[in-house]
Amino acid sequence: MSMISLRDATVKDASTIYQWKTDPFLRKMALDESYQTTEEEQEEDIDRAVGSEDAEYKIILLKQQPIGYIRIDYMDEHNEMAWLRFALGKERGKGYGKIALQMYIDDLFSRGVKRIEGEVYEYNERSQKLLESVGFVKEGQKRQAHLYHKQYCDILVYGLLHEDYVT
């Protein structure tokens, strides 16, 4: 049995998610240097995702302890195309993200999703390698689409099609 599992996020997770999203490393790699949030805003974000038909919010657990999240911020009206986001707290670089991502991808494809896409800042090589390790293909880039430390960088666009996914 895997030490990694996924569960639906609840408003009780807002405090933990707030801690992750205020971590300078995570803000650099997945958010924005000027990103600001509160626990209340995280509660509202979780509520929106839980109450939405085109979003999902999952907590990644290591031995039942929260270590990160995976979410779909948008799913088309046919629930066949999903836009993915994910982040880990302090347990980065140990392979847990890959296990969780594979579990979630398996679940999405078993529910009829045809395409999953995600975006990564060009300097976030770990996330690029992670996406590629589970089968995502770099499909393009948005040139100078993200401002970081007063310099623009590219955002890389990745996609994974159900028929290309090998478990």
Side-chain angles (χ1 to χ4, degrees):
M1 181 159 134
S2 176
M3 298 185 315
I4 299 296
S5 58
L6 303 174
R7 68 160 169 78
D8 291 335
T10 70
V11 292
K12 293 178 182 176
D13 296 308
S15 174
T16 303
I17 293 169
Y18 169 78
Q19 290 173 3
W20 294 330
K21 289 187 174 183
T22 56
D23 174 0
F25 181 82
L26 192 131
R27 283 192 8 229
K28 175 183 178 186
M29 294 300 174
L31 300 166
D32 188 274
E33 66 185 326
S34 63
Y35 178 80
Q36 299 290 319
T37 191
T38 65
E39 285 188 42
E40 293 78 22
E41 288 172 333
Q42 293 308 308
E43 288 176 7
E44 292 169 8
D45 186 36
I46 293 167
D47 266 342
R48 270 192 306 276
V50 170
S52 173
E53 291 186 19
D54 66 352
E56 294 181 1
Y57 211 142
K58 302 287 185 184
I59 299 296
I60 303 168
L61 302 170
L62 171 62
K63 298 179 184 177
Q64 300 306 310
Q65 296 301 310
I67 63 166
Y69 66 83
I70 299 179
R71 62 185 298 181
I72 296 297
D73 272 352
Y74 170 77
M75 195 174 295
D76 74 319
E77 63 188 61
H78 305 291
N79 292 332
E80 293 181 342
M81 290 186 283
W83 190 66
L84 179 75
R85 290 178 47 197
F86 59 91
L88 286 178
K90 302 290 184 202
E91 296 293 335
R92 296 181 283 265
K94 299 177 182 176
Y96 302 135
K98 182 175 181 175
I99 295 167
L101 197 52
Q102 287 173 313
M103 292 171 71
Y104 194 49
I105 290 168
D106 289 344
D107 178 56
L108 288 171
F109 285 149
S110 76
R111 291 187 274 147
V113 170
K114 307 283 185 232
R115 175 184 170 75
I116 304 169
E117 55 187 67
E119 297 179 348
V120 178
Y121 301 142
E122 69 178 325
Y123 53 78
N124 188 344
E125 293 177 13
R126 274 185 165 175
S127 288
Q128 292 170 45
K129 288 178 183 175
L130 173 57
L131 288 174
E132 291 167 4
S133 77
V134 296
F136 278 80
V137 174
K138 181 179 163 191
E139 297 179 334
Q141 68 189 70
K142 298 177 181 180
R143 297 180 310 138
Q144 297 185 15
H146 176 68
L147 182 63
Y148 184 72
H149 281 307
K150 299 180 183 175
Q151 289 201 303
Y152 284 95
C153 70
D154 296 349
I155 296 175
L156 307 179
V157 179
Y158 282 84
L160 177 61
L161 300 178
H162 185 218
E163 62 258 25
D164 295 337
Y165 183 60
V166 179
T167 57

